[in-house]
Amino acid sequence: MDDTARRHNEKMKRIKEARDKIMETKTEERGLIMIHTGNGKGKSSSGFGMIMRCIAHGIPCSVVQFIKGGWQTGEKMFLRERFPDECRFFVSGEGFTWETQDRDRDVAAAQNGWRIAQEQILDPAIGFVLLDEINIALRYDYLDIDEVVGFLQTRKPVMTHVCLTGRNAKPELLEAADLVTEMTLLKHPFKDGVKAQKGIEF
Amino acid sequence: MDDTARRHNEKMKRIKEARDKIMETKTEERGLIMIHTGNGKGKSSSGFGMIMRCIAHGIPCSVVQFIKGGWQTGEKMFLRERFPDECRFFVSGEGFTWETQDRDRDVAAAQNGWRIAQEQILDPAIGFVLLDEINIALRYDYLDIDEVVGFLQTRKPVMTHVCLTGRNAKPELLEAADLVTEMTLLKHPFKDGVKAQKGIEF
């Protein structure tokens, strides 16, 4: 190693040491834009796990379900019946898109969900907003991706957390997010004829 | 109906027909061995989302936390305080392994957790058992992988669901599982100095 390289190396070491020290002092708290995407399980259920944590810590929260509205899911029953004050629960969709088979109705439902979502995000009383399956509505262009990303980036209150779930999250959304988790299916029993079961899938 | 709407409608009809046909063949109900692994978020929180669903559907459940025991997490407060009858909550670990710095103590705690886990799985009153962070205990050989896999394969009641979470799930466990989801980190705000926050990480 020549002198220049050695000096550079030493300088980088010092920078790294200083940086490591700075990293230790990172204590920032701020509202996050979180995405759960991928073809695996756990995208919605981990969102509901965070709702459980928020209720425990006294953080008021809101759920807007974009696509699953049609069914009687465990999470909907649980939150509406047991925690109506701690967690607001809105449904905009009527089922999966292949259930309704009516694009205009799907678009209207998604737009309605997005109107509610904006109100909930802007509400200073709310600390966490779960936009469940919104990625499906974005993927089919029921909602305008630029409008959604623009709103999250410029209008979301600094301390408010927003979690957006669903497969095929758009690149613009991934770009805008603070935290992205991809749930990947490695093995699934549906392939062997096991049906969706209470407590597990819904 | 215009052309776009008609095409959408026809496409969704075909998807629904294909889906319905597949779903008709899915008639089996049985207890699943589920793994949540990977370096991303959502492994534990989606387990707790399933606990929420089980409580909603009246399915009695148990949680055994292997590693996180030391902290006052939202899920522990929530379930112990609000649902002591619906969900049994056990803690075997005292924190992450780098917190205790004492292997013998970690092994004893893990073994104790596994003893409780077996009792809960065998209990006919219980429909769903969450073994949170057990993969960490298995990875460090605090528990014997062959013993755990052998128990799940031969002693687990047919209708009981068991979900095992934690990074680095062992290949033997993946092999024995019905459903494996890998949570992959695509983006994380800790890199920008944001600390673990209430409602989100715990």
Side-chain angles (χ1 to χ4, degrees), chain B residues 10-34:
Chain B
E10 280 162 7
K11 185 181 167 192
M12 289 301 137
K13 255 187 193 153
R14 283 196 304 276
I15 289 174
K16 180 166 165 49
E17 276 165 17
R19 216 186 123 80
D20 285 351
K21 222 169 206 170
I22 292 166
M23 292 313 281
E24 277 168 24
T25 71
K26 311 288 179 202
T27 51
E28 192 188 347
E29 289 200 38
R30 65 177 156 89
L32 304 175
I33 301 172
M34 294 169 277

Side-chain angles (χ1 to χ4, degrees), chain B:
Chain B
M1 202 186 283
D2 67 12
D3 264 7
T4 314
R6 188 172 301 114
R7 274 200 303 278
H8 174 85
N9 179 264
E10 280 162 7
K11 185 181 167 192
M12 289 301 137
K13 255 187 193 153
R14 283 196 304 276
I15 289 174
K16 180 166 165 49
E17 276 165 17
R19 216 186 123 80
D20 285 351
K21 222 169 206 170
I22 292 166
M23 292 313 281
E24 277 168 24
T25 71
K26 311 288 179 202
T27 51
E28 192 188 347
E29 289 200 38
R30 65 177 156 89
L32 304 175
I33 301 172
M34 294 169 277
I35 317 291
H36 297 173
T37 192
N39 66 347
K41 273 182 57 63
K43 298 184 290 294
S44 295
S45 54
S46 61
F48 287 104
M50 285 193 282
I51 294 278
M52 184 188 284
R53 288 174 177 162
C54 286
I55 294 174
H57 292 298
I59 300 168
C61 42
S62 293
V63 176
V64 185
Q65 283 202 311
F66 279 82
I67 303 290
K68 282 177 188 160
W71 337 348
Q72 189 57 322
T73 57
E75 54 269 27
K76 189 164 71 177
M77 285 195 282
F78 183 87
L79 292 169
R80 284 204 169 151
E81 287 170 20
R82 319 256 191 148
F83 296 97
D85 298 328
E86 292 86 346
C87 181
R88 302 175 190 163
F89 200 107
F90 303 92
V91 163
S92 80
E94 298 179 76
F96 284 103
T97 50
W98 55 87
E99 299 284 350
T100 63
Q101 296 171 11
D102 181 337
R103 191 172 195 282
D104 289 345
R105 214 163 71 182
D106 285 347
V107 169
Q111 295 283 349
N112 184 46
W114 175 237
R115 190 185 51 72
I116 297 166
Q118 291 175 84
E119 285 169 9
Q120 296 306 307
I121 293 167
L122 291 175
D123 189 332
I126 296 294
F128 177 83
V129 181
L130 174 61
L131 304 181
D132 194 33
E133 300 288 2
I134 191 174
N135 288 338
I136 311 289
L138 287 164
R139 183 195 184 188
Y140 289 108
D141 296 319
Y142 298 167
L143 299 176
D144 183 64
I145 183 67
D146 294 331
E147 187 191 330
V148 171
V149 167
F151 180 87
L152 292 173
Q153 288 184 319
T154 62
R155 308 282 312 280
K156 182 185 82 59
V158 174
M159 296 308 293
T160 303
H161 300 290
V162 181
C163 178
L164 304 93
T165 81
R167 295 179 181 216
N168 301 294
K170 289 212 169 183
E172 297 93 324
L173 193 61
L174 299 179
E175 181 62 32
D178 298 293
L179 196 157
V180 178
T181 309
E182 182 170 38
M183 279 71 171
T184 308
L185 181 72
L186 297 188
K187 208 172 181 181
H188 203 294
F190 281 9
K191 286 172 187 163
D192 302 327
V194 176
K195 70 178 193 181
Q197 293 176 93
K198 273 186 188 174
I200 306 305
E201 272 88 8
F202 61 94

Side-chain angles (χ1 to χ4, degrees), chain A residues 1-169:
Chain A
M1 199 187 286
D2 67 13
D3 265 5
T4 313
R6 186 173 301 113
R7 272 199 303 278
H8 178 82
N9 181 264
E10 280 164 6
K11 186 181 168 191
M12 288 301 127
K13 253 187 196 158
R14 283 197 303 276
I15 288 172
K16 181 173 161 38
E17 277 167 15
R19 216 185 121 80
D20 285 351
K21 224 169 205 171
I22 289 164
M23 291 308 282
E24 282 168 21
T25 69
K26 293 287 185 185
T27 52
E28 189 190 347
E29 290 199 35
R30 65 177 157 89
L32 304 176
I33 300 172
M34 293 170 278
I35 317 290
H36 297 173
T37 193
N39 65 348
K41 274 182 57 63
K43 299 185 289 294
S44 295
S45 54
S46 62
F48 286 104
M50 285 193 282
I51 293 280
M52 184 190 283
R53 289 173 177 163
C54 285
I55 294 174
H57 291 298
I59 299 169
C61 42
S62 293
V63 177
V64 185
Q65 282 201 312
F66 278 83
I67 304 289
K68 282 176 189 161
W71 339 347
Q72 190 57 320
T73 57
E75 55 269 28
K76 189 164 71 177
M77 286 194 282
F78 183 87
L79 292 169
R80 281 205 171 151
E81 286 168 19
R82 318 259 191 145
F83 297 96
D85 297 329
E86 292 85 347
C87 181
R88 302 175 190 163
F89 200 106
F90 303 92
V91 163
S92 80
E94 298 179 75
F96 284 104
T97 51
W98 54 84
E99 296 289 349
T100 64
Q101 299 172 14
D102 182 337
R103 191 172 196 282
D104 289 344
R105 212 164 73 184
D106 285 347
V107 169
Q111 294 284 350
N112 184 46
W114 175 237
R115 190 185 51 72
I116 296 166
Q118 291 175 82
E119 284 170 9
Q120 296 306 308
I121 293 167
L122 290 175
D123 189 331
I126 297 296
F128 177 83
V129 180
L130 175 61
L131 304 182
D132 193 32
E133 300 289 3
I134 191 173
N135 288 337
I136 312 288
L138 286 164
R139 183 196 184 188
Y140 288 109
D141 296 319
Y142 298 168
L143 300 176
D144 183 65
I145 183 67
D146 294 331
E147 187 190 330
V148 171
V149 168
F151 180 87
L152 292 173
Q153 289 184 319
T154 62
R155 308 283 309 281
K156 183 184 82 59
V158 174
M159 295 309 293
T160 303
H161 300 290
V162 181
C163 179
L164 305 92
T165 81
R167 294 179 181 214
N168 301 294

